[in-house]
Amino acid sequence: MRLPRWAGTLAAKSAAFITVMCCALAALLGVLVHVSVTDQTVAQARDQALSRLADATTAYQAGDALLPGSAIDPVGLPPRLRALAVGGERGTMVARDDGRPTMWAAGPADRNQALAVAVDYSQQTRTIAGLDRSIVWSSALAIGATLLVGAFAVTRVTRRLHGTAQVARRISAGDLDARVHDPRTKDPTRPQDEVAAVAAALDGMAASLQSKLLSEQRFTADVAHELRTPLTGLHAAAELLPAGRPTELVRDRVAALRTLTEDLLEISRLDTGRERLETDAEALGALAERVVRVSGTETEVKVVRDVWVETDRRRLERVLGNLVANAHRHGRAPVVLTVEGKEVTVRDHGDGFPGYLVAHGPQRFRTEGGSKGHGLGLTIAAGQAEVLGARLSFGNAIDGGAVAVLTLP
């Protein structure tokens, strides 16, 4: 039997715990009060009945008329109490006489008879019943008040925890400026609870992470800018070399280095978050066919349902071009690009994306399985998709192959 989702929250668990503890405490106190008052009430009624029995016995032994409420073997006398009195002992018992609660006291009389006294016990019964009702109502009110106070206290804690969790999600989504700013962490005179400690640790982690990422971004941008000047000279020198196989190898490596430098510069621009869109209406199917044609690869294009979209053509072409190039570089043919409405899918039939990429997205300068490359193509595709406001997801097909899905806004 599965519990509902709300039952797993801290507020629900705290409310259940407070309710159980309050009910247990109220039941314990109620039982103690009930037993104590009942014992006291019964003892008083018993003493009164025995006192009247003593007076009735004195009158009976003196041959005087019996007092009101006393008689020999009265009709309502409980059999057990009569048997006790006939046996020569005195005793008391609460029973009902004509529908009313009665305290009976009985003692021995002549000729196997019992002398009994009946004392009305209705008032004591009503007193005990009223006490029980008061215990129930006061316990209910106490439980309700405790629940309200506990809910208020727990809600304050859970609200702070929800705020901390929301900031953690914002940081995970890329908002490195997000902070909890718990007021308790800024005022050392206030008591520091566990939630404040978690908030302080999260703020410290976010600040450290932001500092490291900014340092990495600055390093990437500086390296790319510093490489442009010597690469320009190297490219010009390579063009002056005489024709031949060595010259082709040099020019090929220089071109690869220039591509890497341009990719690093593009990533550094994306890291700044200052990219601006230049939108225009584009037919998505025609744009996909143009990307495949420019790539010079054998990629099949399927247009299931074509649509017009308002987007930045250059950035969208960059995203699709990188996805197609990655499919051919790291996957196996056939590579299929499918357009279905505002969703574009690029699939190959290779070994699929590595697990870290499916779980966490592309990471620069990280590849696995002996793949060639620097992991920048998919990183740029993800960055440009974010600028477009699109969602780029990575997965693996059941029957093998990597699947990249771009969903335009």
Side-chain angles (χ1 to χ4, degrees), residues 166-242:
Q166 185 178 4
V167 170
R169 286 190 289 268
R170 288 171 57 190
I171 294 173
S172 178
D175 184 7
L176 299 181
D177 293 324
R179 297 291 186 274
V180 180
H181 294 307
D182 194 308
R184 295 175 181 266
T185 61
K186 298 181 180 180
D187 187 359
T189 61
R190 301 182 64 179
Q192 303 295 310
D193 57 6
E194 289 77 3
V195 180
V198 172
L202 181 62
D203 287 348
M205 181 198 70
S208 176
L209 180 63
Q210 185 179 35
S211 176
K212 291 180 180 179
L213 288 178
L214 290 176
S215 298
E216 178 184 339
Q217 293 171 5
R218 285 195 297 268
F219 174 77
T220 301
D222 293 343
V223 168
H225 282 288
E226 292 296 330
L227 286 176
R228 293 191 75 177
T229 301
L231 274 177
T232 301
L234 187 60
H235 177 73
E239 293 297 327
L240 299 176
L241 293 175

Side-chain angles (χ1 to χ4, degrees), residues 48-66:
Q48 182 182 3
L50 290 175
S51 177
R52 290 189 181 184
L53 178 62
D55 294 341
T57 301
T58 302
Y60 176 75
Q61 291 175 350
D64 297 334
L66 294 178

